[in-house]
Amino acid sequence: IVIEEGATEATFTLTGIADDELEGEETDTLNLLPGAGFTIDPTQSSVTTTITDLPIATSADISQVIFGTTEVNVIEINSISQIALPGTLNNIIDTSIDSEGGNLIYASSGDDTLI
């Protein structure tokens, strides 16, 4: 990471890679170390994040899988234990209609709205 001259911050992204293994919580810590020409505030020199496994649904847990399309979708979740897999555009996923919980809702690469 390079913090340009005159700048006070820089941003970077770490992307986790999903796998199908249940591993429990995984924790990582990023530490900033002082270098030539600068110091690091020791009270703000590290950040720790924890990744947890997503629940794996079994067929006994699922009452219905709702698939979106490659178009804009409006998906209504109206029962227990449904899985919503919207398409790739901007979707609306509405769980406010008679939903009793236990649903898995996955957002897509568009600007999805979850109600």
Side-chain angles (χ1 to χ4, degrees):
I1 299 173
V2 175
I3 301 177
E4 300 295 331
E5 185 176 340
T8 59
E9 62 183 50
T11 302
F12 67 97
T13 302
L14 297 175
T15 302
I17 299 172
D19 58 30
D20 292 331
E21 295 184 33
L22 292 175
E23 302 161 314
E25 290 188 349
E26 296 173 295
T27 302
D28 60 84
T29 301
L30 174 68
N31 295 301
L32 299 175
L33 303 175
F38 65 93
T39 60
I40 301 293
D41 180 345
T43 65
Q44 297 180 353
S45 64
S46 68
V47 62
T48 299
T49 59
T50 301
I51 317 167
T52 57
D53 292 320
L54 289 174
I56 296 176
T58 66
S59 59
D61 299 329
I62 301 167
S63 67
Q64 182 181 17
V65 178
I66 302 170
F67 293 97
T69 66
T70 57
E71 305 297 320
V72 174
N73 298 280
V74 176
I75 297 175
E76 295 180 350
I77 304 294
N78 55 12
S79 68
I80 298 173
S81 301
Q82 291 181 316
I83 295 179
L85 302 168
T88 56
L89 297 177
N90 303 339
N91 302 283
I92 298 172
I93 303 169
D94 187 352
T95 62
S96 66
I97 307 166
D98 257 355
S99 178
E100 298 179 30
N103 301 299
L104 296 174
I105 300 170
Y106 295 89
S108 68
S109 59
D111 291 327
D112 295 331
T113 301
L114 305 176
I115 302 171

